[in-house]
Amino acid sequence: MILSFRSELRPPKKMDRVEDIVIVGAGIAGLATALGLHRKGVKSLVLESYPSIRTSGYAIGTWTNGWRALDALGIGDKLREHHILVERIKVFSPSSGAILGEAKLEEIEGKLGKTEIRCVRREFLLETLAQELPKDAIRYSSKVVLIEEEGDLKLLHLADGSVIKAKVLIGGDGINSIVGKYLGLKKPSITGRLAVRGLAEYPTNHGFKPEFIQINGEGFRFGMSPSTEKSIYWYFGWYSSENDKDESTTKTVEFIIRKLSNSKVPNEIIEVIQKSDMDQMVSSPLKYRTPFSLLFGNITKRNICVIGDAFHPMTPDLGQGGCIALEDSVILSRCLSEAVHQGKIEEGLEKFAKIRRWRCAKVVLIAYIVGFVQQSGNWLVSFLREKVLAGIMAGALLMVANYDCGEV
């Protein structure tokens, strides 16, 4: 049975459309939160600006902590059936081609058991989340352009002229969140780095081993991993310059291939990039919210909060962006559903914020440091990276993934 919660919020003065909980953004964080609340019998409405689920983004590196969250939401096994389990991580030197570090994942156990990494197709994850929700849970073509207050209600003005009143407002609307702006969060900081992500699809089995490959240094970071038996996900990051602003996709791909060709990487890696759909590739600047902002900024206020990239945008150097968003969703669903039953919304959101601030600040900071060390072309950093730091950074990846978000 779906519950309409009793709360301390005042009722509207007239018969406008009022929703108990409104989630802005049908991305990973937004849909996962809606599903977590649904599992607890609490109704919510998701507003998505696009006319359908957005499928851009290719794939999400999903580590042990992400799978813990997906299992808590009840969809873990559905996703496992369609995605390859990574068995080994290998880190190569771009200058020598030597293996700097290697880890066999089945031999690594933490408090959550064996380490689990799969590269999940983003559109498959979003569609799976959406399919688990009631048919009327998502309202498409509903872009929020203005947020105002009417007593304890939030007035959401949409681009089509309609207005929705929310007793609770959750911002899962990404790095340029209008909800985060309303809360007064500062704009994310720019790292000076760019990244391109791609997907190579094959008509039959691609033949690659279930390994996560990393090549770091000399001013770039490259990684790739099988997603399914017919697809390989990859990414490439580098320091931006003035010339990057007007670069076409073709020139960007040529630049990536040239950088990798000048390094001692296997030819089959370059062939993966050449096989990818260039029309779908977009280079984007890497941004992050500083740990200070996460610890002391307004991520929640009374009956409003932010989650996912609206809360903690981070560099992709740990592959944890999607996983941390899933953690948010499970924990917020638990805190908010308890608050719904107790009629203590503000306390529930404050509890969520208290749990998440330090965790997210730590992950953002580690990601930034790992990215700097891995990508730097400085000779001293390169020497330390190849001789000393490779094992330490691999340990950081596994340590961050060893986190249990609990049940919804």
Side-chain angles (χ1 to χ4, degrees):
M1 181 178 69
I2 301 300
L3 303 176
S4 282
F5 62 77
R6 171 182 58 82
S7 80
E8 67 273 37
L9 306 180
R10 296 192 300 268
K13 296 179 180 179
K14 56 183 179 179
M15 296 300 292
D16 289 308
R17 178 174 179 178
V18 178
E19 298 289 341
D20 286 342
I21 301 173
V22 174
I23 302 170
V24 181
I28 294 172
L31 292 180
T33 300
L35 179 56
L37 291 170
H38 177 65
R39 297 290 194 225
K40 300 294 288 186
V42 179
K43 182 179 179 181
S44 65
L45 174 67
V46 180
L47 301 180
E48 170 55 44
S49 60
Y50 276 57
S52 62
I53 290 290
R54 281 188 268 184
T55 58
S56 60
Y58 294 116
I60 305 296
T62 310
W63 294 66
T64 313
N65 55 318
W67 288 106
R68 180 67 184 86
L70 291 169
D71 286 336
L73 293 169
I75 61 171
D77 287 341
K78 292 183 180 180
L79 297 170
R80 288 185 178 93
E81 291 175 4
H82 298 274
H83 297 90
I84 291 175
L85 175 66
V86 175
E87 297 178 3
R88 193 182 299 264
I89 298 175
K90 288 183 178 179
V91 181
F92 290 86
S93 166
S95 58
S96 66
I99 296 177
L100 301 178
E102 185 174 359
K104 194 173 182 181
L105 297 179
E106 67 177 13
E107 298 176 353
I108 301 174
E109 290 197 26
K111 65 181 182 181
L112 301 183
K114 292 182 179 179
T115 300
E116 181 177 8
I117 308 172
R118 300 172 197 262
C119 209
V120 177
R121 295 284 293 261
R122 187 174 187 273
E123 77 276 12
F124 191 88
L125 172 56
L126 292 176
E127 289 168 359
T128 301
L129 288 166
Q131 289 168 4
E132 294 288 316
L133 292 169
K135 292 183 178 180
D136 61 349
I138 307 172
R139 175 173 164 174
Y140 296 103
S141 300
S142 300
K143 182 178 182 180
V144 178
V145 296
L146 178 66
I147 302 174
E148 294 182 317
E149 290 188 2
E150 184 181 272
D152 290 318
L153 298 174
K154 297 296 179 285
L155 274 62
L156 309 180
H157 297 263
L158 307 186
D160 63 5
S162 61
V163 177
I164 295 177
K165 295 183 178 183
K167 295 179 181 179
V168 177
L169 176 61
I170 300 169
D173 47 337
I175 196 167
N176 297 311
S177 169
I178 190 172
V179 180
K181 183 178 179 181
Y182 179 82
L183 283 171
L185 287 174
K186 293 182 179 179
K187 290 183 178 180
S189 300
I190 298 174
T191 64
R193 298 160 56 199
L194 294 173
V196 171
R197 299 164 179 85
L199 194 75
E201 301 201 63
Y202 296 74
T204 57
N205 193 310
H206 48 65
F208 281 87
K209 294 179 180 180
E211 297 177 340
F212 175 32
I213 302 297
Q214 282 192 327
I215 304 169
N216 305 314
E218 299 189 356
F220 73 86
R221 292 184 69 250
F222 173 82
M224 78 173 208
S225 176
S227 177
T228 67
E229 292 182 350
K230 297 182 179 181
S231 63
I232 300 285
Y233 170 71
W234 61 268
Y235 64 84
F236 185 92
W238 72 102
Y239 286 104
S240 61
S241 66
E242 288 297 319
N243 296 331
D244 292 320
K245 294 181 179 179
D246 301 318
E247 289 285 280
S248 65
T249 301
T250 300
K251 289 185 176 180
T252 298
V253 173
E254 290 174 353
F255 165 75
I256 294 171
I257 292 175
R258 184 168 62 252
K259 290 287 286 186
L260 291 175
S261 297
N262 291 337
S263 302
K264 295 183 178 181
V265 303
N267 288 331
E268 55 262 31
I269 289 179
I270 296 174
E271 292 171 0
V272 168
I273 297 173
Q274 292 172 329
K275 193 172 182 62
S276 302
D277 184 359
M278 288 192 296
D279 293 336
Q280 299 297 321
M281 293 183 202
V282 178
S283 62
S284 55
L286 299 183
K287 301 180 181 180
Y288 71 106
R289 178 155 285 129
T290 66
F292 183 87
S293 295
L294 295 176
L295 291 174
F296 302 106
N298 287 330
I299 62 173
T300 183
K301 186 178 180 181
R302 298 181 62 198
N303 57 344
I304 182 171
C305 74
V306 285
I307 53 175
D309 282 347
F311 173 13
H312 45 66
M314 66 183 68
T315 60
D317 305 291
L318 296 177
Q320 278 287 337
C323 297
I324 301 299
L326 289 167
E327 289 179 11
D328 287 347
S329 300
V330 170
I331 294 170
L332 178 58
S333 298
R334 182 171 65 246
C335 292
L336 187 52
S337 62
E338 291 173 355
V340 162
H341 291 287
Q342 297 170 3
K344 297 180 179 180
I345 303 304
E346 185 171 353
E347 288 88 340
L349 296 183
E350 288 176 351
K351 181 179 179 181
F352 163 77
K354 184 177 180 180
I355 294 172
R356 298 306 289 163
R357 282 187 191 275
W358 281 102
R359 164 69 173 168
C360 296
K362 181 172 70 173
V363 175
V364 167
L365 179 60
I366 295 173
Y368 185 89
I369 294 172
V370 167
F372 171 79
V373 173
Q374 287 184 337
Q375 192 167 317
S376 176
N378 178 274
W379 71 268
L380 178 58
V381 176
S382 298
F383 174 81
L384 292 173
R385 178 180 60 240
E386 299 197 4
K387 302 300 183 181
V388 180
L389 298 176
I392 295 174
M393 289 186 292
L397 293 172
L398 298 172
M399 179 270 292
V400 168
N402 195 31
Y403 179 86
D404 187 355
C405 62
E407 301 294 336
V408 295

